[in-house]
């Protein structure tokens, strides 16, 4: 499939991806569609019709994502034509800084636009990126996607490989973390996200505080001509006080706000199909959620 995609004209390749995505949307379970629509209605406070339109658009983009991943062998040769990088100097200035002491840094992003292509854009621009991946249920699928990631220049480690991440961070690599999915109660910290109390992963803040390295927020969005713009923001540093959990929570809140701002700007490119507030409904008691709502001045979770 990858060889065939690489052999096709680029416009035809993308059109095929869009057709495949439209077919997949038709067969997508109604429960999964409802999760996306409810998420959008609650977060963006739009009508049900607008929420359905946005949910469908955000799902259809996976056709282009699929074809771009299949075309990694060709995209690697012409990355600068497909991804415009804004703010790369923030990373290069850090790399060349005498205060760096050979350490790497954390790159924080979310599931918006083609995050797989984003990793390749970093790698092809000379950033020694380590992508932190979730192991796929299918061994063949897991092998394929990791081969594609490696082909385009990334090093891949699994979420369970925390020791390897810290080792590579000390050796000067940049750890890429996708921060927007729900986590279990014991693995996250509750912050404000779209005006709701939300359980958020703490990996970027924890790693930054423990190793005293900066976090570079970065987000990618799709342009009207089907190319992409990758924007890298100035580094953030976790304040290190005696209250470790509060230090981590404060930084995680900053990162959550940055993700929210990006999603509000490009709502059709975020992964709305994910049940983002599941742990708040299932793992936290109503009393705990109410306490968080008061503490963070949040709105209650809505049920449609």
């Amino acid at each position: 499939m990858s060889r065939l995609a690489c052999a096709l004209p680029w416009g035809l390749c993308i059109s095929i991806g869009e057709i495949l995505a439209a077919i997949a949307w038709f067969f997508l379970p109604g429960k999964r569609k409802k999760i996306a629509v409810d998420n959008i209605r609650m977060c963006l406070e739009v009508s049900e019709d607008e929420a359905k339109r946005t949910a469908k658009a955000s799902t259809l983009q996976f056709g282009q994502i699929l074809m771009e991943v299949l075309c990694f062998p060709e995209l690697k040769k012409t990355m600068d034509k497909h991804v415009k990088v804004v703010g790369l100097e923030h990373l290069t200035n850090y790399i060349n800084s005498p205060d760096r002491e050979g350490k790497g840094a954390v790159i924080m992003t979310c599931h918006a636009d083609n995050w797989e292509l984003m990793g390749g854009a970093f790698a092809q621009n000379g950033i020694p990126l380590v992508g932190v991946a979730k192991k796929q249920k299918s061994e063949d699928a897991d092998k394929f996607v990791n081969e594609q990631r490696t082909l385009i220049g990334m090093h891949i480690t699994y979420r369970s490989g925390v020791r390897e991440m810290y080792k590579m961070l000390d050796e000067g690599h940049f750890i890429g973390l996708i921060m927007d999915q729900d986590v279990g109660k014991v693995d996250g910290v509750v912050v404000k996200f779209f005006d709701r109390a939300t359980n958020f992963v703490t990996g970027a803040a924890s790693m930054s505080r423990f190793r005293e390295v900066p976090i570079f927020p970065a987000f990618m969005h799709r342009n009207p001509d089907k190319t992409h713009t990758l924007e890298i923001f100035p580094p953030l540093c976790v304040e290190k006080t005696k209250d470790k959990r509060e230090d981590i929570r404060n930084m995680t809140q900053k990162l959550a706000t940055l993700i929210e701002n990006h999603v509000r700007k490009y709502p059709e490119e975020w992964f709305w199909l994910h049940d983002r507030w599941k742990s708040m409904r299932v793992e936290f008691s109503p009393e705990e959620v109410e306490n968080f709502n008061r503490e963070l001045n949040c709105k209650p979770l809505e049920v449609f």
Side-chain angles (χ1 to χ4, degrees):
M1 289 176 65
S2 179
R3 290 193 186 98
L4 176 61
C6 289
L8 293 174
W10 182 245
L12 176 60
C13 189
I14 294 302
S15 296
I16 291 173
E18 291 172 343
I19 292 171
L20 292 175
I23 295 172
W25 171 259
F26 181 79
F27 289 101
L28 192 69
K31 180 180 179 181
R32 184 59 60 180
K33 292 180 181 177
K34 186 176 187 305
I35 288 174
V37 171
D38 289 351
N39 279 342
I40 295 167
R41 290 181 65 189
M42 181 178 71
C43 293
L44 303 182
E45 299 180 350
V46 297
S47 67
E48 184 171 2
D49 286 344
E50 177 62 16
K52 288 180 178 179
R53 187 198 66 78
T54 303
K56 184 176 181 179
S58 72
T59 306
L60 293 183
Q61 71 168 338
F62 282 93
Q64 181 169 335
I65 291 174
L66 170 63
M67 301 311 290
E68 286 172 336
V69 170
L70 290 174
C71 288
F72 272 3
E74 289 299 316
L75 289 179
K76 179 180 179 180
K77 305 172 186 176
T78 57
M79 184 64 71
D80 59 331
K81 295 182 180 180
H82 292 277
V83 182
K84 176 185 177 182
V85 182
V86 177
L88 184 63
E89 68 274 8
H90 297 308
L91 291 175
T92 55
N93 288 344
Y94 173 70
I95 290 174
N96 296 324
S97 171
D99 300 328
R100 180 188 173 198
E101 298 179 346
K103 293 182 180 179
V106 176
I107 295 176
M108 183 282 299
T109 190
C110 66
H111 287 91
D113 194 8
N114 190 341
W115 56 90
E116 298 288 354
L117 183 61
M118 180 194 298
F122 277 118
Q124 293 305 307
N125 277 277
I127 306 302
L129 183 73
V130 179
V132 181
K134 179 180 179 181
K135 191 175 181 64
Q136 304 295 313
K137 293 180 180 179
S138 165
E139 290 187 7
D140 288 337
D142 191 71
K143 179 182 178 182
F144 168 74
V145 72
N146 284 334
E147 284 177 348
Q148 294 297 93
R149 290 163 173 164
T150 302
L151 181 151
I152 209 165
M154 289 186 281
H155 174 88
I156 298 299
T157 187
Y158 293 112
R159 293 178 184 177
S160 57
V162 177
R163 183 174 297 178
E164 182 185 13
M165 287 184 228
Y166 280 112
K167 180 177 181 293
M168 298 195 77
L169 190 65
D170 292 339
E171 293 173 350
H173 290 79
F174 287 71
I175 310 298
L177 298 177
I178 300 179
M179 293 280 297
D180 54 345
Q181 289 199 310
D182 195 11
V183 291
K185 180 178 179 179
V186 299
D187 296 321
V189 63
V190 177
V191 298
K192 189 174 185 177
F193 186 59
F194 283 101
D195 292 326
R196 271 80 182 178
T198 310
N199 193 25
F200 233 91
V201 63
T202 62
S206 298
M207 192 171 293
S208 173
R209 187 183 186 278
F210 186 58
R211 281 297 194 264
E212 297 183 354
V213 296
I215 302 170
F216 291 88
F219 303 102
M220 193 159 76
H221 68 86
R222 196 181 308 276
N223 301 315
D225 63 355
K226 306 297 184 180
T227 62
H228 309 262
T229 297
L230 169 57
E231 186 172 6
I232 303 164
F233 292 84
L236 300 173
C237 295
V238 178
E239 183 181 5
K240 199 167 186 178
T241 70
K242 293 181 179 179
D243 192 338
K244 174 184 175 181
R245 184 167 181 80
E246 188 63 14
D247 293 344
I248 291 173
R249 193 197 70 79
N250 287 338
M251 177 54 69
T252 303
Q253 178 64 75
K254 292 179 182 178
L255 301 179
T257 301
L258 287 173
I259 293 174
E260 178 182 334
N261 292 342
H262 180 79
V263 174
R264 287 188 182 277
K265 192 173 182 180
Y266 304 102
E268 295 181 357
E269 297 181 9
W270 197 46
F271 187 40
W272 292 103
L273 292 171
H274 176 59
D275 193 354
R276 187 63 190 78
W277 281 268
K278 182 177 180 179
S279 67
M280 296 303 297
R281 297 193 312 270
V282 176
E283 298 186 43
F284 291 85
S285 68
E287 292 76 18
E288 287 177 309
V289 175
E290 181 59 32
N291 287 337
F292 284 126
N293 288 341
R294 284 197 299 269
E295 177 187 346
L296 300 172
N297 191 26
C298 291
K299 298 177 182 178
L301 293 176
E302 297 177 32
V303 179
F304 294 95

